[in-house]
Amino acid sequence: MSSQQGSHLFVLIHGLWGTPQHMGSLKESLQHYIDSKENAIFLLPSQNSKFKTFDGIEVLGYRALLEICQYIRRHNDLQECSDHKRITRISIIGYSLGGLVARFVVGKMFTECQEYFSGIEPVLFLTMASPHLGIRFFNPSNSLFRTILDPVMTVLGSNALGKSGRELFIANRYNDILIRLSEGEFIQGLAKFKHRTVCANVKNDRTVAFYTAFITNHDSFIESGNSVNYTFENNVPGTGYSNIIPRIVDLTRLDPKNKHVIENKRLSLNGKLKLYILLPCLFLVFFPIALLVNISGTVYRYFATIKYRKMIKNGNLPNEFREKVGISDRLETYVSATYESILKENESGNDGDLEDDDDLIQNGGKYNQSMSKIPTMDRNSRDKKWDIFIQKYSNIVDEKNMWYKRFDDLPFDNKRIAILKNLSSLKWIRVPIYVKALNAHGGIIARRGIDEDTQPTSLASIQFVGQLVDYLTSTN
């Protein structure tokens, strides 16, 4: 793309309990890899941080959408913003719950905000570890421990995480937004994007299981109790990886009969003492404190959002939004009055950056030291490798694939069956990623930033995604 054709806005939306800083490592990777000709600019919405993420996908979505509209208007209305710098393309990346918020935003972009987006081309929609089919625990091995634990976690998750938690678990008909997000304007909005991509952790994601992030009713890792033996892609596209090649699992080579042997390692006396101390602290101290904090946040946000829930129930929130955004010059006033927050102006000319750049500057230095310069590579050779990879993972859940037939369907309820059917009507690039971490959910985007303690597989993950995004957004 020529820079004369305008700027490309990348919107990065964080997840539950998150802040914009959680998307910092991914943003740095995108800045490093995306072709300078793309004239990329970045916006990390900041009005849905921490406890506010409990407010429900609809409220979160409108908040994010307001920030995006305000940013586009401010950017394009600058007197010094010449035509070749105006925003003409948009890509949206969501992490965890942020992926669902992004899907809400996409549905409203071209309906209630069409004045803002009528001249903007939707290019890439990408999510990482996002629960597109909601959260539900499965226990195919009928483990007694899981039989007891799963209902407890379901009750806690759907009650201690506010309205967002109830929506993620699709608790009842009043929290069915995940179904609505797969229909009507929302699925039509997704269809407008040139590319749709999901990245899912295959293992160790304690928050979002593989099947729901991958948009499938097959989960060989749950079915096998994570004992299925898997191999990684030998010819992963991309160059300049710092430590190791990204661990993309080759699903076509999965076989339920081929399992790895888990060694029973005996703990030393010192290890046993640490375990005996850690477990009581975990269940008697840390877990109750975390539960209390979440319940307190749920109660607080319940009262803080009474007005918005009434507006949603009466159908007034969309009407208010349409009235104020797109045709009114009082957008910032509306944001302040409606959501009790003021959009932060950044007059330095670096709009859309994180709220606190000091940490990013430090991490950015370490990050660039960890990242190799991209070796010069023939573009045709590069494109051919990416073409082969994308072709394979655009059809990876095709029932013609043998791996898909080797594993049983998960026992979905009717709601999840409907969501899966609707989302599967679109073409997706599905990428299964292995991140070696105690909890891969944060590792897939290097949520804590990049430093010497960052797992190599986590760094490789964001480097891979950076190059994937560069390829998808720079090809015609």
Side-chain angles (χ1 to χ4, degrees):
M1 173 184 169
S2 170
S3 60
Q4 298 299 313
Q5 293 180 258
S7 298
H8 191 157
L9 174 63
F10 288 83
V11 181
L12 279 59
I13 304 177
H14 64 76
L16 190 70
W17 253 112
T19 68
Q21 281 82 356
H22 286 175
M23 306 300 287
S25 298
L26 182 59
K27 176 191 171 188
E28 291 287 305
S29 178
L30 296 174
Q31 288 177 317
H32 185 89
Y33 286 111
I34 292 176
D35 195 322
S36 60
K37 294 180 180 179
E38 196 68 17
N39 199 13
I41 54 178
F42 297 86
L43 171 65
L44 283 65
S46 61
Q47 297 305 307
N48 285 324
S49 297
K50 299 179 181 179
F51 279 129
K52 287 185 178 181
T53 59
F54 288 13
D55 293 350
I57 293 169
E58 188 164 1
V59 172
L60 297 175
Y62 272 122
R63 282 203 198 108
L65 185 58
L66 283 165
E67 284 195 71
I68 296 168
C69 290
Q70 190 268 350
Y71 180 83
I72 291 173
R73 184 187 68 173
R74 189 173 63 201
H75 178 91
N76 287 350
D77 285 354
L78 288 174
Q79 290 183 356
E80 61 269 26
C81 183
S82 54
D83 288 341
H84 75 275
K85 289 186 178 181
R86 292 177 66 83
I87 295 171
T88 57
R89 309 177 89 202
I90 187 169
S91 292
I92 301 180
I93 300 175
Y95 161 64
S96 192
L97 177 66
L100 304 181
V101 175
R103 281 173 51 198
F104 182 91
V105 167
V106 165
K108 298 297 181 181
M109 280 170 51
F110 306 106
T111 54
E112 297 175 18
C113 284
Q114 57 184 325
E115 293 91 345
Y116 281 88
F117 296 95
S118 59
I120 298 177
E121 177 192 359
V123 181
L124 171 66
F125 179 86
L126 184 149
T127 65
M128 304 184 70
S130 292
H132 293 284
L133 306 179
I135 296 177
R136 183 182 173 187
F137 302 110
F138 294 98
N139 182 20
S141 62
N142 295 317
S143 163
L144 178 61
F145 177 72
R146 292 291 303 273
T147 300
I148 297 172
L149 180 64
D150 290 353
V152 174
M153 295 303 295
T154 298
V155 171
L156 289 177
S158 56
N159 288 279
L161 298 175
K163 184 168 179 60
S164 296
R166 293 190 291 278
E167 291 173 344
L168 289 174
F169 283 88
I170 318 181
N172 51 51
R173 63 187 180 90
Y174 301 108
N175 297 284
D176 65 348
I177 192 168
L178 291 191
I179 300 174
R180 288 186 281 123
L181 284 180
S182 70
E183 302 170 338
E185 61 186 342
F186 301 105
I187 201 76
Q188 292 167 11
L190 278 175
K192 293 179 183 294
F193 281 79
K194 184 178 179 181
H195 303 288
R196 291 163 298 278
T197 304
V198 294
C199 298
N201 282 310
V202 300
K203 189 178 181 182
N204 298 332
D205 193 320
R206 314 294 179 186
T207 308
V208 177
F210 171 77
Y211 76 89
T212 187
F214 207 66
I215 313 180
T216 179
N217 60 346
H218 288 69
D219 196 321
S220 51
F221 311 101
I222 287 180
E223 183 174 330
S224 66
N226 275 323
S227 65
V228 65
N229 201 22
Y230 46 80
T231 56
F232 302 116
E233 286 284 353
N234 296 320
N235 197 23
V236 176
T239 58
Y241 295 113
S242 299
N243 297 306
I244 62 173
I245 300 298
R247 300 295 179 87
I248 310 299
V249 175
D250 188 349
L251 298 180
T252 63
R253 299 165 69 181
L254 291 179
D255 187 342
K257 297 178 181 178
N258 185 8
K259 298 183 179 181
H260 61 259
V261 178
I262 301 175
E263 297 181 7
N264 291 322
K265 297 182 179 180
R266 302 186 67 177
L267 287 175
S268 64
L269 178 60
N270 189 35
K272 289 180 179 179
L273 288 175
K274 289 181 179 179
L275 186 63
Y276 293 150
I277 295 172
L278 178 62
L279 288 179
C281 289
L282 183 64
F283 287 101
L284 298 178
V285 180
F286 296 112
F287 182 75
I289 291 176
L291 182 61
L292 180 62
V293 169
N294 277 276
I295 291 176
S296 300
T298 296
V299 173
Y300 168 70
R301 295 311 303 174
Y302 175 83
F303 287 105
T305 57
I306 287 177
K307 177 174 65 175
Y308 316 139
R309 284 184 282 106
K310 286 182 178 178
M311 292 173 70
I312 291 173
K313 183 178 180 180
N314 297 330
N316 293 330
L317 185 56
N319 293 333
E320 282 282 314
F321 184 85
R322 281 191 293 268
E323 181 180 333
K324 298 293 183 180
V325 75
I327 58 175
S328 172
D329 292 330
R330 295 178 294 168
L331 177 60
E332 290 170 331
T333 304
Y334 172 66
V335 173
S336 177
T338 305
Y339 295 118
E340 302 170 340
S341 58
I342 301 175
L343 288 175
K344 296 179 178 176
E345 298 284 349
N346 187 340
E347 302 299 340
S348 66
N350 191 23
D351 294 331
D353 280 351
L354 301 183
E355 296 171 311
D356 184 359
D357 288 332
D358 292 338
D359 291 340
L360 259 191
I361 292 171
Q362 285 187 330
N363 287 339
K366 294 178 182 177
Y367 183 89
N368 290 328
Q369 291 173 11
S370 302
M371 181 104 72
S372 305
K373 276 290 184 183
I374 306 172
T376 303
M377 183 180 184
D378 179 72
R379 194 169 187 88
N380 290 332
S381 299
R382 184 204 77 156
D383 289 357
K384 185 176 181 181
K385 288 185 68 174
W386 278 112
D387 286 343
I388 294 171
F389 180 89
I390 289 170
Q391 175 66 26
K392 178 177 180 177
Y393 285 95
S394 295
N395 300 287
I396 197 65
V397 298
D398 193 318
E399 293 187 1
K400 295 178 182 178
N401 280 320
M402 288 304 297
W403 83 271
Y404 213 63
K405 297 179 181 180
R406 294 182 188 129
F407 297 92
D408 296 331
D409 292 356
L410 291 171
F412 281 179
D413 54 31
N414 291 333
K415 297 174 183 177
R416 287 173 174 80
I417 290 174
I419 296 171
L420 176 62
K421 179 180 179 181
N422 294 340
L423 291 179
S424 298
S425 66
L426 301 176
K427 195 174 187 67
W428 296 85
I429 303 168
R430 294 171 166 91
V431 183
I433 297 178
Y434 172 77
V435 174
K436 186 178 181 180
L438 185 62
N439 187 356
H441 189 67
I444 196 171
I445 63 162
R447 190 169 61 189
R448 295 183 178 181
I450 300 297
D451 56 30
E452 61 275 5
D453 296 324
T454 303
Q455 279 284 349
T457 51
S458 181
L459 178 59
S461 169
I462 60 171
Q463 290 178 339
F464 171 83
V465 171
Q467 296 186 68
L468 172 64
V469 171
D470 171 52
Y471 174 74
L472 292 176
T473 57
S474 63
T475 53
N476 295 320

